[in-house]
Amino acid sequence: RKEVEQDPGPFNVPEGATVAFNCTYSNSASQSFFWYRQDCRKEPKLLMSVYSSGNEDGRFTAQLNRASQYISLLIRDSKLSDSATYLCVVNIRYGQNFVFGPGTRLSVLP
Amino acid sequence: NAGVTQTPKFRVLKTGQSMTLLCAQDMNHEYMYWYRQDPGMGLRLIHYSVGEGTTAKGEVPDGYNVSRLKKQNFLLGLESAAPSQTSVYFCASSYSGVAGVYNEQFFGPGTRLTVL
């Protein structure tokens, strides 16, 4: 089993739709969790950290379920500019143990 | 404030040639990382450094060497390039390596390397 798994995608949704991404991780010792976005042929950029209590940033909501070892990202009212690949990232203990999921590609269509 | 920069942006090598990729950060971060990204594989850690003068192996270190002589620079070397090393290489840095404490990683724009 891969350490971090994500929905295979791609997701093609119309503008204004709500879309949810799922991520599971295998190491119960994981400490920090992040969502990054990566535009085509660009570097990954931090979208948001994921906290135990869940957190929201505008149209984006992240949830963490430690018992199920599951992370989610919800995008509401999706925009054309949200089209990108979304990477789930898990940090096991110290900074060197970041593990990236393969990513899920999102295309928001007009 | 340039963040994380990488040189070169593109490079084509022949099998057996050597090269060095340079990463520089101006955020005074302690931790620096080199990743490679291949289609369908996600990012994989090659080497990392937890401070000036220290380096350590990541998930896929074979065929690469690194050095961190100055805090702001992290160099990745390929001694004898192979076609399997064709990839996009990303450098990243973070303030901290302690989980949950300012350990978000900031990435450079990447180097696209092709080995023929």
Side-chain angles (χ1 to χ4, degrees), chain A residues 3-59:
Chain A
E3 287 195 71
V4 178
E5 298 193 63
Q6 297 186 237
D7 294 327
F11 288 3
N12 299 312
V13 303
E15 269 187 290
T18 295
V19 59
F21 299 103
N22 300 309
C23 172
T24 57
Y25 60 94
S26 61
N27 193 324
S28 60
S30 300
Q31 300 275 353
S32 299
F33 310 89
F34 307 91
W35 284 102
Y36 279 72
R37 70 169 278 166
Q38 185 174 24
D39 294 298
C40 188
R41 302 179 73 83
K42 298 287 189 180
E43 73 272 24
K45 292 185 178 178
L46 179 67
L47 179 65
M48 58 196 306
S49 301
V50 186
Y51 304 118
S52 295
S53 55
N55 46 303
E56 187 174 308
D57 183 3
R59 298 181 293 108

Side-chain angles (χ1 to χ4, degrees), chain A residues 2 31-32 34 36 38 41-44 46 49 87 91 93-96 98 100-102, chain B residues 31 33 35 37 40 42-43 45 48 50 90 97-100 103-105 107-109 112:
Chain A
K2 293 181 181 177
Q31 300 275 353
S32 299
F34 307 91
Y36 279 72
Q38 185 174 24
R41 302 179 73 83
K42 298 287 189 180
E43 73 272 24
L46 179 67
S49 301
L87 306 173
N91 179 208
R93 189 168 65 249
Y94 298 113
Q96 62 271 25
F98 278 82
F100 286 75
Chain B
Y31 288 70
Y33 316 80
Y35 292 92
Q37 187 174 35
L43 280 90
L45 183 65
Y48 64 95
V50 302
F90 287 104
V98 177
N103 66 335
E104 302 97 312
Q105 294 190 346
F107 285 82
R112 296 184 180 278

